[in-house]
Amino acid sequence: MHRIAVIPGDGIGPEIIAEGRKVLDAAGERFGFEIRWQEFDIGAERYLRSGKLLTERDLKALSQCRAIYFGAIGDERVKPGVLEKGILLALRFYFDQYINLRPVRLLEGIRTPLADKKPKDIDFMVVRENTEDFYVGIGSRFKGKERKDLEVVRELYRVKFGLEVESDAEEIAYQIGVISREGARRVIRYAFDLARKRRKKLTSVDKANVLTEVYGLWREVFTEEAASYSDVTTEFNFVDAITMWFVKNPEWFDVVVTPNMFGDIITDLGAMIQGGLGLAPGGNINPLGTSMFEPIHGSAPKYRGLGVANPIATIWAGSMLLDHLGEHQAAEAVVRAMEWSIARGITTKDLGGQASTSDVGRAIAQYVAEME
Ligand code: IPM
Ligand code: MG
């Protein structure tokens, strides 16, 4: 028996999560385990109703579960950043989910926008650091006081980290990225271990040629760790360059390890080369704590309630969740069932099909249930 928390969230979140649950329940029946779901009312609706983002009670209850199945967050009635920071990022940080694992894999039967690339060419894992870098939330904004003649009074701004910034600009804003040796080490080690189980190649992403402090440290830690994984081939890519290679030579990559913000950016590109955002899953992993699995796309409010959202990213995230729980056979079966539904053309509009969100979920669940 597995206790799993569910946060359907906003927009299309509830629809896609419903399909994911169907499939995981079917996998449980087929492979002999039970999932006990505990649903949480966390998201825009509750926030608008009560002003609550994440409560102590939520966190306490969530921490009783090994995994959280997360739909999507974001609503046009709420200022950008409030729900993202107050819920999604808050969960990643609170549970110290320091690995954001994002497979970039072209499934059989899916068209990639990259001409001439086949499923064997697009099959790598991005390991995104998930708790540091520019996501730490250290930053501020200052406005100079306006005088009657509309000139700005020069002020001395005092900010954290012992910096003294003197500026007579009308307004300044700053944000700081932080990398710690431990933070870099733990995610880089995870990536090396993963590479060992795959094709034994690890690419590190940074921008150490410009942001020499933070990514200099990242590179230093990577080099140190590489010494104890001599069986793994390593390389460095600057983040701007890796976007070219993802498009031109995706077959070069096996495991890619990246600081948080670059990981955010390059995994949307990764999603596109694997056929679109509707197909891209992710896991926010704390190997010793509560992990969280979600599609990497957002809540797409304009498609809410229309039954057109592709549930595959969420179902695939569900497969990752099963894998994380040790249900490896069931996890594989779910991916095979996804491929089966794609081959049969049971797909949503984004993939050129005519099936609804629940048609796809139902077909995949049924295939899993009846699988040999
Ligand atoms: C992602 C998303 C989030 C991120 C947002 C919604 C906070 O873009 O999961 O990639 O930036 O990490
Ligand atoms: Mg993103």
Side-chain angles (χ1 to χ4, degrees), residues 84 88-89 92 100 102 128 135 264 267-268 294 296:
E84 291 85 344
L88 180 58
L89 298 180
R92 290 179 184 167
N100 193 328
R102 298 186 160 181
R128 168 186 174 191
Y135 278 66
D264 176 46
T267 52
D268 268 24
E294 54 167 342
I296 86 165

Side-chain angles (χ1 to χ4, degrees), residues 104-332:
V104 178
R105 182 171 146 205
L106 180 63
L107 296 178
E108 207 59 63
I110 297 290
R111 273 186 54 185
T112 169
L114 305 184
D116 308 326
K117 297 296 176 190
K118 302 274 172 296
K120 66 167 176 35
D121 301 316
I122 303 176
D123 179 10
F124 59 91
M125 290 288 217
V126 178
V127 177
R128 168 186 174 191
E129 201 288 323
N130 213 25
T131 58
E132 298 196 326
D133 201 23
F134 288 97
Y135 278 66
V136 292
I138 301 170
S140 198
R141 257 171 90 156
F142 302 94
K143 239 185 172 133
K145 290 189 199 80
E146 263 179 88
R147 284 197 322 223
K148 288 229 165 57
D149 57 6
L150 292 179
E151 266 178 51
V152 175
V153 175
R154 173 181 284 238
E155 281 196 276
L156 190 63
Y157 303 116
R158 277 213 168 69
V159 297
K160 286 185 203 165
F161 282 85
L163 282 179
E164 283 194 2
V165 180
E166 204 167 324
S167 167
D168 56 3
E170 187 186 336
E171 187 171 7
I172 62 168
Y174 76 95
Q175 201 119 22
I176 290 179
V178 178
I179 302 267
S180 68
R181 183 171 286 279
E182 291 77 1
R185 192 189 287 137
R186 61 186 185 172
V187 69
I188 288 169
R189 277 194 187 159
Y190 181 92
F192 268 110
D193 289 334
L194 182 63
R196 253 192 187 156
K197 291 185 214 141
R198 293 175 50 99
R199 301 191 301 273
K200 296 196 171 54
K201 181 173 178 194
L202 181 60
T203 305
S204 169
V205 181
D206 65 46
K207 187 75 188 175
N209 50 345
V210 177
L211 298 158
T212 48
E213 305 297 340
V214 275
Y215 303 129
L217 176 57
W218 173 273
R219 224 174 229 238
E220 201 176 296
V221 174
F222 186 90
T223 308
E224 277 170 24
E225 291 306 315
S228 25
Y229 292 88
S230 51
D231 52 327
V232 177
T233 307
T234 59
E235 66 178 14
F236 292 107
N237 270 193
F238 291 133
V239 65
D240 46 351
I242 208 170
T243 60
M244 296 191 308
W245 305 129
F246 270 17
V247 170
K248 188 156 187 295
N249 297 106
E251 66 279 3
W252 284 353
F253 299 103
D254 177 20
V255 180
V256 174
V257 65
T258 167
N260 205 343
M261 193 165 80
F262 297 152
D264 176 46
I265 298 166
I266 66 175
T267 52
D268 268 24
L269 176 57
M272 219 23 101
I273 69 174
Q274 75 185 113
L277 273 173
L279 295 164
N284 302 275
I285 296 170
N286 175 341
L288 303 172
T290 300
S291 298
M292 179 164 76
F293 298 83
E294 54 167 342
I296 86 165
H297 63 67
S299 61
K302 68 175 176 189
Y303 297 123
R304 170 181 29 218
L306 302 180
V308 297
N310 188 347
I312 287 191
T314 308
I315 293 169
W316 196 342
S319 160
M320 293 175 74
L321 186 157
L322 292 179
D323 203 50
H324 181 74
L325 296 175
E327 303 289 355
H328 306 299
Q329 259 193 311
E332 269 173 44

